[in-house]
Amino acid sequence: MSDLTCVVTSQTSVSSERGLVKSSIFSPLTLPCGRTVDNRLVKVAMYEHLSDFSGGPPNTYHFALYSEWARHGWAMIITGNVQVDKHHLTLGRDMAIPSALTDETLAPFQRLAQVIHGDTIVKDGSCSHNSRHSPGKVRPLAIMQISHAGRQSPIVLGGRSPFVPPKAPSSIRVGSVVQRSGEVEITSSLRSTEEKSAKDVRRTNDLFLRVLFQVPREMTIDDIRDVQRGFLKAALAASEAGFDGIQLHCAHGYLLAQFMNPKTNLRQDQYSIHPSVNSLRMLRETVEAIRTMTRRDFVVGVKINSGDYVQAGEHPSDARIQAESSRVLDHVRTMAHWGMVDFIEISGGDYESPGKHVLSHKYSMCFIVLRLDFMSSKPTSLRQAFFSRFSRAVIEHINREPTPSNASLVPVILLTGGLRSPAHLQTALDAGHADLLGIGRGSIICPDLPVVLQERLTENRLGYQFKEDTRPFAREPSDDLKPPFRLPKAGLIGASFEMAWYTVRMRGIAESHIQHDARNGKPQSHSYPHGMGTTEAMLRMWIWVNHVEGWWILAFVLMTISVVVTLPTQLITSRQ
């Protein structure tokens, strides 16, 4: 989330572009590897939940969904996380890299890359070559996000037998606690960020997590090498299939993030947390292997999350926040100076209030995808306060640091989160927070967002200012996303219901192409689930008419929720 500096092909300065709305958002940008994005709008990774249960390759639903994004002028399209290990899935329907790479197993991934590039279209449920490429039409960069869930791979849904634990840097279960110098630190990155009724939320979440997740098995050196080979294999599969690059998912508590976090990594070997070089060893060795084995113009990105450094449910002191801020700054600075990464994604919250906390900088060193929520003048959570401090420190430290030996190899910046109107987009650029603008959920409720922007520019040429246009790109679900009132107030449960709504929306877009085809450049109106509440969304997420296994998956989910709701309070309290 930054402005427009960094290796722009036209070599235009930030200050000269700020007043030119059209050239800022719709101007090209060259990445360190040499690839060029045609504008600054990026559809970032969102979990689709569309594969066969137990993981698998992309299918007709993926092709139909991504064909919708491909037709509307996104500069870069990043897939939802593709798992490098089928035995470490997240919610069962993840895309996953096949065990053997053959022409047959790579074909679905090749088809997905073709769809994203616009070379293949989906019409009435079948794929066909697109022979009508318009001159000047944006050709998106296709980026595959690759991931390993580690300890956050749940029981059954994770793709393992019930009594086979997941692998992790250390044997610390999601939701457990770790004692450090007499201080209890919550180790789950999935907890609610609400301070109000924090103890009740924590109790409910703890039990919910205990039911869903096992105590992981600490990885051996051989396990680590095996996972690194898995990431390399996934990158090679992406390259062979025609993707322009990959993004390593090193955020949200997944395996690579677990190696970087002292709450999840208690190792005493070369992959320990201290010294700092050890905490990044797993990631660096993985990036080095990918860079060595792929072509020079292959895009390599890394996603990290500021929230992984200060966990929800904690009440850290100023000294603790400063220490964690220094640690993540050190990580970002180190990655930027490897000279091997094209972009670093840092997620943290929502970018809600344009015009406040506007910062200026010459932040042309890193292509960091920021998901910000520090724009409010009064941060509403501890994570907001932490990220507010962190973002300022990043700007200061990166500006002060000497550039790598080859300045053309430094990463550039992408902002993600809460960009719901032209005003949000322009404010992010004017504030100097990004070179690229990432849209997640907004790309689901408004797949044609780049077209909407262009139309507003065309319709309001005279005197039109993006930063004065606060109209949302599309209707948002808002109150439809409230969880059922009978369920306990818990961040993980609430987030699950909210995610279900967007999952059903994505499936609706895909089905619009498969069953009816999109008309006039938009999915049919029935693909938007107007008035659908969270209970209906959860049911529709897990149950497909043509997917019988959804019934027993739903039974497992409902059983888990019922355990959380009905267990005696004494049992919950006894764990504190």
Side-chain angles (χ1 to χ4, degrees), residues 480-484 487 491-503 533-539 541 557-558 561:
D480 292 342
L481 300 185
K482 292 180 180 178
L487 287 180
L492 179 60
I493 296 175
S496 298
F497 278 93
E498 186 172 334
M499 183 193 71
W501 191 97
Y502 285 96
T503 298
T534 50
T535 302
E536 181 186 352
M538 183 65 78
L539 290 170
M541 172 180 171
V557 173
L558 293 179
I561 293 175

Side-chain angles (χ1 to χ4, degrees), residues 25-88:
I25 294 179
F26 293 100
S27 62
L29 175 71
T30 299
L31 305 181
C33 68
R35 302 303 296 267
T36 298
V37 291
D38 292 330
N39 60 55
R40 309 309 175 93
L41 300 171
V42 178
K43 179 266 159 193
V44 295
M46 296 291 293
Y47 176 64
E48 308 95 347
H49 199 70
L50 292 173
S51 296
D52 293 335
F53 185 68
S54 77
N59 55 37
T60 303
Y61 286 91
H62 292 95
F63 305 149
L65 173 63
Y66 280 87
S67 69
E68 179 63 28
W69 284 314
R71 67 196 296 177
H72 293 305
W74 296 94
M76 180 188 293
I77 295 176
I78 306 176
T79 71
N81 50 2
V82 178
Q83 303 301 337
V84 303
D85 184 348
K86 286 188 67 172
H87 301 299
H88 285 79

Side-chain angles (χ1 to χ4, degrees), residues 3 32 37 59 84 106 110 118 141 162 287 296 332 352 357 359 403 417 511 543 548:
D3 198 21
V37 291
N59 55 37
V84 303
L106 282 177
Q110 190 172 33
L141 290 185
V287 172
R296 175 65 199 119
V332 172
E352 289 287 357
H357 283 17
L359 308 177
T403 59
E511 289 174 341
I543 300 177
V548 178

Side-chain angles (χ1 to χ4, degrees), residues 234-253:
L236 292 175
S239 179
E240 184 68 21
F243 280 84
D244 300 297
I246 55 94
Q247 180 188 51
L248 291 163
H249 198 336
C250 193
H252 303 161

Side-chain angles (χ1 to χ4, degrees), residues 561-572:
I561 293 175
S562 67
V563 168
V564 175
V565 174
T566 59
L567 271 180
T569 304
Q570 295 90 328
L571 177 60
I572 303 175

Side-chain angles (χ1 to χ4, degrees), residues 438-449:
I439 314 293
R441 290 181 172 181
S443 70
I444 299 175
I445 60 175
C446 186
D448 58 338
L449 186 146

Side-chain angles (χ1 to χ4, degrees), residues 414-539:
L414 162 70
L415 171 68
T416 306
L419 300 173
R420 298 182 173 93
S421 72
H424 289 128
L425 296 175
Q426 192 60 44
T427 299
L429 292 177
D430 286 348
H433 293 146
D435 295 297
L436 298 174
L437 301 164
I439 314 293
R441 290 181 172 181
S443 70
I444 299 175
I445 60 175
C446 186
D448 58 338
L449 186 146
V451 175
V452 171
L453 273 178
Q454 288 279 23
E455 288 176 348
R456 292 192 185 181
L457 280 172
T458 303
E459 293 168 2
N460 303 276
R461 272 184 219 173
L462 192 57
Y464 177 75
Q465 293 290 326
F466 263 162
K467 59 185 175 183
E468 295 176 3
D469 186 353
T470 59
R471 293 172 294 166
F473 297 115
R475 174 194 166 184
E476 298 177 5
S478 60
D479 290 341
D480 292 342
L481 300 185
K482 292 180 180 178
F485 71 94
R486 290 185 180 275
L487 287 180
K489 188 178 182 181
L492 179 60
I493 296 175
S496 298
F497 278 93
E498 186 172 334
M499 183 193 71
W501 191 97
Y502 285 96
T503 298
V504 173
R505 163 63 172 161
M506 282 189 280
R507 188 187 304 160
I509 294 173
E511 289 174 341
S512 181
H513 282 267
I514 293 171
Q515 299 171 5
H516 308 281
D517 185 31
R519 306 295 178 188
N520 301 318
K522 292 178 178 288
Q524 294 291 288
S525 59
H526 63 75
S527 69
Y528 191 100
H530 294 283
M532 180 179 66
T534 50
T535 302
E536 181 186 352
M538 183 65 78
L539 290 170

Side-chain angles (χ1 to χ4, degrees), residues 185 194 375:
E185 299 183 320
E194 298 183 14
M375 294 300 287

